[in-house]
Amino acid sequence: MFVPVIALVISLLIPAQIAGVSGCEDAHIIGVRGSGQTNYGEQVGTVVTDTARSISQTGRTVAAHALDYPAISISDSFGLVLLNGDYDRSVKAGVDSLLSDLGVLREECPLTQIVLIGYSQGSQVIKTAMEHRSPVDRIASVVLLADPTRETTQPGVVRLGPEGDRSGAFGSIMFPDHLRTVAIDVCAVGDGVCGRGGFLSHIDGYTDFAEPIVSYVLSELTASPLRFLRPA
C-alpha cells in the first residue's frame, strides 16, 4: 500500500492520500531515504522537489511519495546493525515495499513513467529491488546518490563525481541491462560509502548535484515516443 504522498500537478506540494492510486499522473517519483532519516531525507528531498517542479513546468502532471520502510540508522548503534542483521532486514523491508508500490503503479497506472531516487541505504534498496523487475514497469530514470553497492565498471550508466575503480563499501550490484542506460550514479568527492574518503562528504557532499540530475531525468522522460502519451 502506498504511504501518504505529495502530489504535484502545476503547483508543488499539494498533500494527497493514495491507497492504491487516486489518479494517474504523467510521471510518479518514488524517493527512498537514507539510514536514520525520515520522510524523504534531505538529500533525496532536494532532488525530488526540484525534479517535480521542473516536470510540472513542462505542463505535465507529476506525483511523488516517500517509500515506507525502516531506513534503520547505522550511527545510532555504532554500526552494530551491520553485524546483527538489522541493516539487511531494513534493506529487505525496503525492497519489499518498493516492489509492492511498483506493482500497484503498473496495475493501476500502466502509462505513468516512474522515477526512482535514492540516497545511501535507499540507493541499495532501489538497486536490489531492480534485480527483480522487468522492462514492463516503465521506469524512466533511476537516480542513486551515495550508493553503497556502487559498481564503477558497468557501461551505459551516467556517473557524476570523481572517476575511480572502487566499488561501494558494501560490495557492488549491477543494474539489469534494461535499466543501465537510464541510470545516473552520483558519488561526491571524498564519500567513503560510494568511493574513497570519509563520512562527512557522505552527508554534505550532494548539495550541488540537483541541477545536472534534474536535466538528466527530464531528458530521459522525453527520450521515447512511448513516454508522456498525453499531449502537453
Side-chain angles (χ1 to χ4, degrees):
M1 176 181 292
F2 282 112
V3 297
V5 304
I6 296 178
L8 303 98
V9 183
I10 297 299
S11 60
L12 279 177
L13 305 178
I14 304 172
Q17 179 79 30
I18 291 183
V21 175
S22 61
C24 294
E25 282 72 31
D26 294 311
H28 193 111
I29 304 170
I30 302 178
V32 190
R33 67 191 182 276
S35 302
Q37 296 182 322
T38 57
N39 197 21
Y40 290 104
E42 180 182 357
Q43 293 81 3
V44 169
T46 297
V47 178
V48 168
T49 300
D50 289 354
T51 300
R53 179 183 294 111
S54 295
I55 293 173
S56 69
Q57 287 172 348
T58 70
R60 312 296 181 176
T61 58
V62 54
H65 80 276
L67 188 73
D68 182 15
Y69 90 110
I72 192 169
S73 172
I74 295 176
S75 60
D76 287 351
S77 68
F78 302 99
L80 180 62
V81 296
L82 298 174
L83 300 176
N84 64 16
D86 285 349
Y87 177 86
D88 291 339
R89 283 185 282 273
S90 177
V91 171
K92 185 181 185 303
V95 170
D96 291 345
S97 181
L98 180 55
L99 292 177
S100 175
D101 287 4
L102 290 173
V104 172
L105 277 171
R106 183 174 65 182
E107 179 70 22
E108 301 191 19
C109 299
L111 299 183
T112 294
Q113 292 300 298
I114 299 166
V115 177
L116 304 177
I117 301 173
Y119 164 71
S120 194
Q121 184 180 161
S123 292
Q124 184 174 351
V125 166
I126 291 173
K127 186 87 78 65
T128 305
M130 291 305 95
E131 296 181 299
H132 304 281
R133 305 310 289 180
S134 68
V136 299
D137 282 318
R138 297 181 60 79
I139 295 172
S141 185
V142 179
V143 178
L144 302 182
L145 309 172
D147 176 18
T149 64
R150 190 181 197 221
E151 165 56 55
T152 60
T153 64
Q154 187 174 18
V157 178
V158 174
R159 294 185 176 86
L160 296 180
E163 294 293 330
D165 58 1
R166 184 176 184 271
S167 298
F170 297 167
S172 61
I173 297 176
M174 293 277 196
F175 279 100
D177 283 343
H178 68 279
L179 288 177
R180 60 186 174 84
T181 58
V182 299
I184 183 167
D185 174 20
V186 185
C187 185
V189 174
D191 187 342
V193 172
C194 56
R196 299 183 185 276
F199 191 65
L200 185 60
S201 294
H202 182 64
I203 299 173
D204 298 329
Y206 291 87
T207 56
D208 296 330
F209 285 106
E211 184 175 345
I213 289 172
V214 169
S215 296
Y216 172 80
V217 171
L218 289 178
S219 70
E220 290 299 322
L221 285 170
T222 57
S224 168
L226 294 177
R227 294 170 182 160
F228 286 154
L229 295 181
R230 284 178 279 179

